[in-house]
């Protein structure tokens, strides 16, 4: 019987950083395999790691490779995931036992990246957007497992809000019900991924990485288990036209219904569709907001180490 430690493979650099109390930022791999096309996905993933280093922390990209829970992928492993793309299995919490036992490769979503980060002892995780409550969830019951994970796993997730392919209002209600704080970084408005504002408010505005770290520290010191959402708006220069993006999303949702796409295929389908219709403009916005989140993630991780 394998123990947890035997399943977990933490890179030497990341293990050393954790053991010596240096800041580490976790990164997911579904964004690489399913979120962006090759080779932009690999370029972006490597640059994200560099940005985290430039801001004083150690990056730990996470995936499952041949059944091993890998925390701190090498450049070659990132290249492999990016090239293999959606042939790698999108792996959320429920998929982990299958991928591990059958020694397969799995790209981790926000939910499963949080799980592996927590196993390794990493508290901060930067990504693009989290999953949420889908539009028409009242009939499809499509609610991302990311939200349930945020309720129970103690990792802070820095994101640019949730895409309006989701129902942002219902997503915020769900997070409230499960006790997940949603902090706006220098904003009161919940960002909507491609745009800075969604028309909904976050719970609290916090203006410095230090304040965010203090808030996270207080939560976990009080044994209030679970994660937090740190919503960091896309930089203004890259934000998109709200009306145009809404129209694109509505068309993509219609196509999805017509083609009968559902379940775990929904999110990747919508992302690819939007990128195609906007001729790569949304992809550029997506890349820039991930860079922005990586930099903030590194700063928060540093402040958290100082608490
Ligand atoms: N939202 C994005 N980009 C992404 C994802 C979501 O803007 O790449 C990915 C993340 O890995 C997220 C997952 O955890 O999709 C959610 O999928 P689902 O809705 O099937 O839970
Ligand atoms: Mn879903």
């Amino acid at each position: 019987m394998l123990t947890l430690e035997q399943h977990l493979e933490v890179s030497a650099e990341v293990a050393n950083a954790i053991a010596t109390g240096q800041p580490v930022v976790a990164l997911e791999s579904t964004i690489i395999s399913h979120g962006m096309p090759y080779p932009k996905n690999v370029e972006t993933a490597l640059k994200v790691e560099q940005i985290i280093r430039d801001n004083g922390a150690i990056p730990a990209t996470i995936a499952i490779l041949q059944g091993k829970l890998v925390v701190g992928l090498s450049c070659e492993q990132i290249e492999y995931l990016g090239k293999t793309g959606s042939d790698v299995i999108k792996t959320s919490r429920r998929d982990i036992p299958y991928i591990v036992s059958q020694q397969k490769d799995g790209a981790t979503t926000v939910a499963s990246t949080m799980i592996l980060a927590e196993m390794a002892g990493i508290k901060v995780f930067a990504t693009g957007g989290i999953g949420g409550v889908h539009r028409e969830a009242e009939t499809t019951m499509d609610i991302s497992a990311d939200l349930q994970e945020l309720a129970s796993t103690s990792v802070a997730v820095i994101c640019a809000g949730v895409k309006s392919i989701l129902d942002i209002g219902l997503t915020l209600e769900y997070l409230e019900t499960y006790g997940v704080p949603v902090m706006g970084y220098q904003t009161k408005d919940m960002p909507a991924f491609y745009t800075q504002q969604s028309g909904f408010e976050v719970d609290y505005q916090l203006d410095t990485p230090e304040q965010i770290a203090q808030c996270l520290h207080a939560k976990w010191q009080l044994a209030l288990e679970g994660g937090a959402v740190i919503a960091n708006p896309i930089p203004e220069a890259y934000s998109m036209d709200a009306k145009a993006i809404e129209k694109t999303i509505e068309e993509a949702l219609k196509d999805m219904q017509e083609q009968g796409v559902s379940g775990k295929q929904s999110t990747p389908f919508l992302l690819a569709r939007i990128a195609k219709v906007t001729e790569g403009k949304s992809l550029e916005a997506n890349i820039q907001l991930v860079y922005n989140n990586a930099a903030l993630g590194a700063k928060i991780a540093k402040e958290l180490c100082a608490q």
Side-chain angles (χ1 to χ4, degrees):
M1 257 258 300
L2 284 175
T3 62
L4 171 60
E5 282 70 30
Q6 288 166 304
H7 285 295
L8 197 61
E9 206 172 272
V10 183
S11 74
E13 186 191 25
V14 172
N16 176 59
I18 296 166
T20 56
Q22 294 171 61
V24 179
V25 178
L27 297 161
E28 62 157 305
S29 45
T30 292
I31 193 172
I32 305 174
S33 62
H34 291 67
M36 291 179 192
Y38 181 79
K40 273 266 176 202
N41 55 359
V42 173
E43 263 170 57
T44 304
L46 296 177
K47 175 118 189 251
V48 165
E49 291 209 338
Q50 190 55 49
I51 290 171
I52 289 172
R53 290 185 194 282
D54 293 346
N55 284 278
I58 304 290
T61 303
I62 292 178
I64 306 178
L65 295 171
Q66 297 182 332
K68 282 269 185 205
L69 311 176
V70 186
V71 177
L73 296 189
S74 66
C75 297
E76 293 73 29
Q77 289 169 326
I78 289 175
E79 168 74 25
Y80 164 74
L81 280 181
K83 214 169 192 170
T84 315
S86 49
D87 286 342
V88 182
I89 301 169
K90 178 179 160 189
T91 304
S92 195
R93 170 180 273 271
R94 66 166 180 186
D95 309 295
I96 297 175
Y98 168 74
I99 304 287
V100 167
S101 62
Q102 303 307 305
Q103 294 168 17
K104 291 192 179 290
D105 298 330
T108 52
T109 62
V110 168
S112 53
T113 303
M114 288 177 75
I115 296 171
L116 271 52
E118 186 170 62
M119 282 180 186
I122 304 171
K123 309 298 293 177
V124 176
F125 162 24
T127 188
I130 56 170
V133 180
H134 281 255
R135 295 192 194 184
E136 295 179 28
E138 62 273 26
T139 49
T140 63
M141 287 187 71
D142 192 347
I143 299 173
S144 174
D146 292 353
L147 299 185
Q148 207 54 51
E149 208 58 56
L150 279 159
S152 59
T153 300
S154 300
V155 173
V157 182
I158 294 102
C159 64
V162 289
K163 267 199 182 82
S164 52
I165 57 173
L166 304 171
D167 188 316
I168 299 176
L170 290 187
T171 301
L172 289 170
E173 288 295 343
Y174 195 99
L175 290 168
E176 183 198 356
T177 302
Y178 284 93
V180 180
V182 179
M183 309 175 197
Y185 179 59
Q186 299 180 341
T187 182
K188 272 201 172 59
D189 298 296
M190 178 68 176
F193 199 83
Y194 297 118
T195 56
Q196 292 193 328
Q197 293 173 354
S198 65
F200 293 91
E201 285 201 353
V202 295
D203 301 334
Y204 315 99
Q205 173 174 342
L206 292 170
D207 291 329
T208 65
E210 185 188 18
Q211 286 176 351
I212 293 172
Q214 286 167 340
C215 192
L216 294 170
H217 185 65
K219 175 172 164 63
W220 293 326
Q221 210 175 31
L222 295 167
L224 297 169
E225 304 291 324
V229 174
I230 293 139
N232 186 28
I234 184 172
E236 175 130 45
Y238 299 102
S239 73
M240 297 181 72
D241 179 67
K243 278 212 180 84
I245 202 79
E246 180 57 30
K247 190 166 162 268
T248 310
I249 286 170
E250 274 172 11
E251 281 164 14
L253 286 164
K254 216 172 115 224
D255 290 350
M256 187 174 88
Q257 264 188 350
E258 279 169 14
Q259 295 181 33
V261 176
S262 65
K264 67 192 279 187
Q265 266 85 43
S266 301
T267 300
F269 176 90
L270 292 168
L271 299 184
R273 199 94 195 111
I274 294 163
K276 198 167 163 211
V277 173
T278 62
E279 291 167 335
K281 243 168 85 193
S282 66
L283 180 60
E284 189 51 32
N286 197 343
I287 290 169
Q288 293 297 333
L289 64 83
V290 177
Y291 292 164
N292 192 44
N293 294 341
L296 179 60
K299 289 175 195 160
I300 293 170
K302 261 174 81 175
E303 292 294 342
L304 201 54
C305 282
Q307 291 297 307

Short mmCIF file of all heavy atoms in Angstrom, two decimals, residues 28 30-31 35 90 108-111 129-131 134 144-146 163 193 263-264 267 271, ligand 1:
data_model
loop_
_atom_site.label_atom_id
_atom_site.label_comp_id
_atom_site.label_asym_id
_atom_site.label_seq_id
_atom_site.Cartn_x
_atom_site.Cartn_y
_atom_site.Cartn_z
N GLU A 28 -2.11 25.97 -11.67
CA GLU A 28 -2.86 24.81 -12.18
C GLU A 28 -2.40 24.41 -13.58
O GLU A 28 -1.68 25.16 -14.26
CB GLU A 28 -4.36 25.12 -12.21
CG GLU A 28 -4.74 26.27 -13.14
CD GLU A 28 -6.19 26.22 -13.60
OE1 GLU A 28 -6.62 25.19 -14.15
OE2 GLU A 28 -6.89 27.24 -13.43
N THR A 30 -4.83 22.69 -15.91
CA THR A 30 -5.93 22.63 -16.90
C THR A 30 -5.90 23.87 -17.78
O THR A 30 -6.21 23.81 -18.97
CB THR A 30 -7.30 22.49 -16.19
OG1 THR A 30 -7.35 21.21 -15.58
CG2 THR A 30 -8.45 22.58 -17.19
N ILE A 31 -5.49 24.98 -17.21
CA ILE A 31 -5.37 26.21 -18.00
C ILE A 31 -4.36 26.00 -19.13
O ILE A 31 -4.48 26.57 -20.20
CB ILE A 31 -5.00 27.39 -17.07
CG1 ILE A 31 -5.16 28.73 -17.76
CG2 ILE A 31 -3.60 27.26 -16.52
CD1 ILE A 31 -4.98 29.93 -16.83
N GLY A 35 -7.13 25.25 -21.49
CA GLY A 35 -7.53 26.66 -21.44
C GLY A 35 -6.98 27.50 -22.58
O GLY A 35 -7.54 28.54 -22.90
N LYS A 90 -8.77 16.15 -18.08
CA LYS A 90 -9.10 17.24 -17.15
C LYS A 90 -9.51 16.59 -15.83
O LYS A 90 -10.46 15.82 -15.77
CB LYS A 90 -10.24 18.07 -17.74
CG LYS A 90 -10.71 19.21 -16.86
CD LYS A 90 -11.82 19.99 -17.55
CE LYS A 90 -12.63 20.78 -16.56
NZ LYS A 90 -13.82 21.38 -17.16
N THR A 108 -4.70 19.34 -13.72
CA THR A 108 -5.49 19.68 -12.53
C THR A 108 -6.27 20.99 -12.72
O THR A 108 -5.75 21.97 -13.23
CB THR A 108 -4.59 19.79 -11.28
OG1 THR A 108 -3.49 20.67 -11.57
CG2 THR A 108 -4.06 18.43 -10.88
N THR A 109 -7.53 20.96 -12.29
CA THR A 109 -8.39 22.15 -12.29
C THR A 109 -8.09 22.95 -11.02
O THR A 109 -7.23 22.56 -10.21
CB THR A 109 -9.87 21.75 -12.25
OG1 THR A 109 -10.08 21.04 -11.02
CG2 THR A 109 -10.27 20.88 -13.41
N VAL A 110 -8.84 24.00 -10.83
CA VAL A 110 -8.68 24.78 -9.59
C VAL A 110 -8.91 23.86 -8.38
O VAL A 110 -8.11 23.84 -7.43
CB VAL A 110 -9.65 25.98 -9.57
CG1 VAL A 110 -9.72 26.61 -8.19
CG2 VAL A 110 -9.21 27.01 -10.61
N ALA A 111 -9.96 23.05 -8.42
CA ALA A 111 -10.28 22.19 -7.27
C ALA A 111 -9.12 21.24 -6.96
O ALA A 111 -8.64 21.17 -5.82
CB ALA A 111 -11.55 21.39 -7.55
N GLY A 129 -9.24 32.21 -14.10
CA GLY A 129 -10.60 32.32 -13.57
C GLY A 129 -10.98 31.01 -12.89
O GLY A 129 -10.50 29.95 -13.27
N ILE A 130 -11.86 31.09 -11.90
CA ILE A 130 -12.33 29.86 -11.25
C ILE A 130 -13.63 29.41 -11.91
O ILE A 130 -14.30 30.18 -12.59
CB ILE A 130 -12.57 30.07 -9.73
CG1 ILE A 130 -13.55 31.24 -9.49
CG2 ILE A 130 -11.24 30.31 -9.03
CD1 ILE A 130 -14.02 31.36 -8.06
N GLY A 131 -13.97 28.15 -11.70
CA GLY A 131 -15.28 27.66 -12.13
C GLY A 131 -16.35 28.22 -11.20
O GLY A 131 -16.03 28.78 -10.15
N HIS A 134 -23.02 27.70 -13.26
CA HIS A 134 -23.29 28.01 -14.67
C HIS A 134 -24.66 28.68 -14.83
O HIS A 134 -25.55 28.49 -14.01
CB HIS A 134 -23.22 26.74 -15.52
CG HIS A 134 -21.80 26.34 -15.82
ND1 HIS A 134 -21.22 26.50 -17.05
CD2 HIS A 134 -20.85 25.81 -15.01
CE1 HIS A 134 -19.96 26.08 -17.00
NE2 HIS A 134 -19.71 25.65 -15.78
N SER A 144 -19.52 24.16 -10.66
CA SER A 144 -18.15 23.65 -10.65
C SER A 144 -17.75 23.12 -9.27
O SER A 144 -18.07 23.73 -8.24
CB SER A 144 -17.18 24.75 -11.05
OG SER A 144 -15.85 24.30 -10.91
N ALA A 145 -17.01 22.02 -9.28
CA ALA A 145 -16.46 21.46 -8.03
C ALA A 145 -15.45 22.41 -7.39
O ALA A 145 -15.12 22.26 -6.22
CB ALA A 145 -15.80 20.11 -8.31
N ASP A 146 -15.01 23.43 -8.16
CA ASP A 146 -14.09 24.43 -7.59
C ASP A 146 -14.71 25.10 -6.36
O ASP A 146 -14.02 25.42 -5.40
CB ASP A 146 -13.78 25.54 -8.62
CG ASP A 146 -12.96 25.05 -9.80
OD1 ASP A 146 -12.51 23.89 -9.81
OD2 ASP A 146 -12.78 25.85 -10.75
N LYS A 163 -15.75 34.24 -15.23
CA LYS A 163 -16.20 34.60 -16.58
C LYS A 163 -17.71 34.69 -16.60
O LYS A 163 -18.38 33.93 -15.92
CB LYS A 163 -15.83 33.46 -17.52
CG LYS A 163 -14.52 33.64 -18.16
CD LYS A 163 -14.44 32.77 -19.38
CE LYS A 163 -13.08 32.95 -19.97
NZ LYS A 163 -12.08 32.13 -19.30
N PHE A 193 -13.55 38.70 -15.28
CA PHE A 193 -12.53 38.08 -16.10
C PHE A 193 -12.06 39.01 -17.22
O PHE A 193 -11.04 39.66 -17.08
CB PHE A 193 -13.03 36.74 -16.64
CG PHE A 193 -11.94 35.82 -17.11
CD1 PHE A 193 -11.23 35.01 -16.22
CD2 PHE A 193 -11.60 35.75 -18.45
CE1 PHE A 193 -10.21 34.17 -16.65
CE2 PHE A 193 -10.59 34.89 -18.89
CZ PHE A 193 -9.90 34.11 -18.00
N GLY A 263 -21.50 18.82 -19.05
CA GLY A 263 -20.55 18.29 -18.06
C GLY A 263 -19.20 18.95 -18.14
O GLY A 263 -19.09 20.15 -18.38
N LYS A 264 -18.14 18.14 -17.96
CA LYS A 264 -16.81 18.72 -17.86
C LYS A 264 -16.31 19.31 -19.17
O LYS A 264 -15.34 20.05 -19.20
CB LYS A 264 -15.81 17.70 -17.28
CG LYS A 264 -15.53 16.53 -18.19
CD LYS A 264 -14.78 15.42 -17.47
CE LYS A 264 -13.30 15.68 -17.39
NZ LYS A 264 -12.58 14.52 -16.82
N THR A 267 -16.91 23.96 -19.95
CA THR A 267 -16.00 25.09 -19.78
C THR A 267 -14.96 25.15 -20.91
O THR A 267 -14.83 26.20 -21.55
CB THR A 267 -15.37 25.07 -18.36
OG1 THR A 267 -16.43 25.17 -17.41
CG2 THR A 267 -14.40 26.21 -18.15
N LEU A 271 -14.61 28.29 -23.64
CA LEU A 271 -13.36 29.06 -23.72
C LEU A 271 -12.82 29.08 -25.15
O LEU A 271 -12.42 30.12 -25.68
CB LEU A 271 -12.29 28.47 -22.78
CG LEU A 271 -12.60 28.42 -21.29
CD1 LEU A 271 -11.40 27.90 -20.51
CD2 LEU A 271 -12.98 29.79 -20.78
N1 LIG B 1 -12.18 29.31 -16.20
C1 LIG B 1 -11.34 29.95 -17.02
N2 LIG B 1 -10.27 29.27 -17.54
C2 LIG B 1 -10.02 27.96 -17.25
C3 LIG B 1 -10.92 27.29 -16.35
C4 LIG B 1 -11.98 28.01 -15.86
O1 LIG B 1 -11.53 31.11 -17.28
O2 LIG B 1 -9.04 27.38 -17.74
C5 LIG B 1 -10.65 25.87 -15.96
C6 LIG B 1 -10.04 25.81 -14.54
O3 LIG B 1 -9.13 24.74 -14.48
C7 LIG B 1 -11.25 25.53 -13.68
C8 LIG B 1 -12.04 24.62 -14.57
O4 LIG B 1 -10.93 24.92 -12.45
O5 LIG B 1 -11.89 25.16 -15.89
C9 LIG B 1 -13.50 24.54 -14.19
O6 LIG B 1 -14.12 23.54 -14.93
P1 LIG B 1 -15.59 23.04 -14.53
O7 LIG B 1 -16.47 24.22 -14.82
O8 LIG B 1 -15.85 21.87 -15.44
O9 LIG B 1 -15.53 22.70 -13.08
#
